[in-house]
Amino acid sequence: MPAAPSSSPQLSPARERWLLLTIAGIQFTHILDFMIMMPLGPQFTRIFGISDAQFGLLVSAYTLSAGVSGLLAATYVDRFDRRALLLSLYALFALATLACGLAPGYGFLMGARIAAGVFGGVLSALAQTIVADVVPFERRGRAMGVVMSAFSVSTVAGVPLGLWLASWFDWHATFFAIAALCAVFCAGAWATLPPLRGHLHAGRPTVWRGIGEVLVERNHWRAFALSAVMIFTGFTVIPFITIYLQANVGLSDRDIPLIYLTGGAVTLLTARWLGRVTDRLGKVPTFNRLAVAATVPIMATTLLPPAPLAVVLLVSTAFFVLTSGRMIPGMAIVTSAGVPRLRGTFMVLNASVQSAAMGLASLVGGLIIARDAAGRVEHYWAAGLIGVVASFASIALARRLHLHGSGQGTSV
């Protein structure tokens, strides 16, 4: 189906580059806002006098509210200029993050985390939609590599700096700093984003008709399934890596930041290269190769015995690079699977699917693993094996998708 003539604004190379960097900055802040909660857990449990279960609820509040928000956003996201919508939601997210920094207690912080999830959960889908609207198909893999490098930057720089602020001042300072960065990137988005109204040229569908049009497309359902298994592949393992490395492999608290620093730094270097490879070799072939390759460090991580730090770094870095690297062609595939005029609604529904898959995978992993009498983690390999099965399932799904803008009737 051809897109409306003006659905893809023509930007100069310089302005496109600045737009992608701004979108990556927006991604960086809301990813960091989510990630920083986990290493701050010991402070929260001590300061607020809460249990581990209550802290777990504090973390999951963001993901759950993001999932619900995505479903609600499907009723309006394709009815407005994407630029105006992104700026509005991002400003509200910044205020919610500021509220986290101002929280005097557990209850207030819980409310602020829910608000941050409501606005932040939609931002990722909306940012990816804008990239798909603005960047032509043949360069979309490279563009996704730039935007998704935000995860690596948040790991290698954001989390360590956030923890440094928390150690020198207190945890409030970390959220104040994130809110200040949001203000900077909001100004950048105001300057670099063009009006994005091309999807409105076909008329504004009624709320339920727009959702209905997304849901009747079989290609969309296959894309949702691909998103779910891509997320499931990693998140049966990711939430428990630190626990396993300390309890079974013998790493200390001081070693853990080095794991994330090294993995994030190498991933940052490889992300843009993988984006270029994706465009050169094709989205689906690149994804298939990375999905197979990722199964090796997944199983190596979950079976790792006590080992020197150098060996652990080798395995953990391979895990970071390949599990996050496959998401570059993977998300280029998913965004291209959406009908262009319905892409906003499609992407926010996809974000809800990903949030649900993340929560379900973490739950499954938590139910599988156990502790023996010495406190060592058992059955972690089984969680990894489920991730491997999900990775191979993602390969089968990717091959069945039609990608709009590829110029072919089959996946490329």
Side-chain angles (χ1 to χ4, degrees), residues 42-67:
Q43 288 195 40
F44 288 135
T45 53
R46 183 181 69 254
I47 294 169
F48 296 146
I50 58 176
S51 65
D52 290 337
Q54 286 175 305
F55 172 70
L57 183 59
L58 193 62
V59 173
S60 63
Y62 185 101
T63 302
L64 294 174
S65 61

Side-chain angles (χ1 to χ4, degrees), residues 122-297:
V122 182
L123 284 174
S124 181
L126 191 54
Q128 291 167 357
T129 301
I130 289 172
V131 171
D133 282 348
V134 172
V135 180
F137 179 85
E138 60 271 14
R139 297 201 308 274
R140 204 167 291 160
R142 189 177 306 179
M144 284 296 176
V146 173
V147 172
M148 296 191 70
S149 65
F151 177 84
S152 304
V153 177
S154 66
T155 304
V156 71
V159 171
L161 286 173
L163 294 176
W164 179 82
L165 285 173
S167 65
W168 276 94
F169 301 98
D170 59 21
W171 64 269
H172 298 275
T174 301
F175 288 101
F176 290 150
I178 296 173
L181 279 176
C182 288
V184 172
F185 288 119
C186 194
W190 181 275
T192 60
L193 277 176
L196 295 167
R197 304 188 184 97
H199 59 289
L200 301 176
H201 289 184
R204 299 190 183 193
T206 62
V207 169
W208 298 113
R209 181 182 175 185
I211 296 175
E213 287 181 0
V214 170
L215 295 180
V216 296
E217 284 279 343
R218 290 187 178 181
N219 198 55
H220 290 169
W221 282 99
R222 287 192 286 268
F224 292 150
L226 174 60
S227 278
V229 293
M230 280 197 301
I231 295 295
F232 210 93
T233 297
F235 272 84
T236 55
V237 174
I238 291 171
F240 314 103
I241 287 179
T242 301
I243 294 173
Y244 182 82
L245 291 180
Q246 290 186 316
N248 290 49
V249 182
L251 266 61
S252 68
D253 289 339
R254 289 174 295 180
D255 296 326
I256 297 301
L258 188 59
I259 297 292
Y260 288 92
L261 181 65
T262 305
V266 177
T267 301
L268 181 61
L269 295 174
T270 58
R272 295 189 67 178
W273 175 75
L274 286 173
R276 290 192 293 271
V277 170
T278 294
D279 289 333
R280 186 171 66 249
L281 299 182
K283 277 69 172 171
V284 174
T286 304
F287 174 77
N288 290 345
R289 294 171 187 178
L290 289 171
V292 171
T295 62
V296 176

Side-chain angles (χ1 to χ4, degrees), residues 10-77:
Q10 297 298 313
L11 302 182
S12 67
R15 190 172 183 189
E16 181 180 298
R17 184 164 53 252
W18 279 109
L19 181 146
L20 290 175
L21 290 174
T22 301
I23 294 294
I26 291 172
Q27 292 277 69
F28 167 79
T29 51
H30 84 76
I31 291 171
L32 178 58
D33 178 84
F34 171 73
M35 290 184 64
I36 199 66
M37 288 295 295
M38 287 171 278
L40 287 176
Q43 288 195 40
F44 288 135
T45 53
R46 183 181 69 254
I47 294 169
F48 296 146
I50 58 176
S51 65
D52 290 337
Q54 286 175 305
F55 172 70
L57 183 59
L58 193 62
V59 173
S60 63
Y62 185 101
T63 302
L64 294 174
S65 61
V68 173
S69 175
L71 292 176
L72 295 176
T75 66
Y76 63 79
V77 72

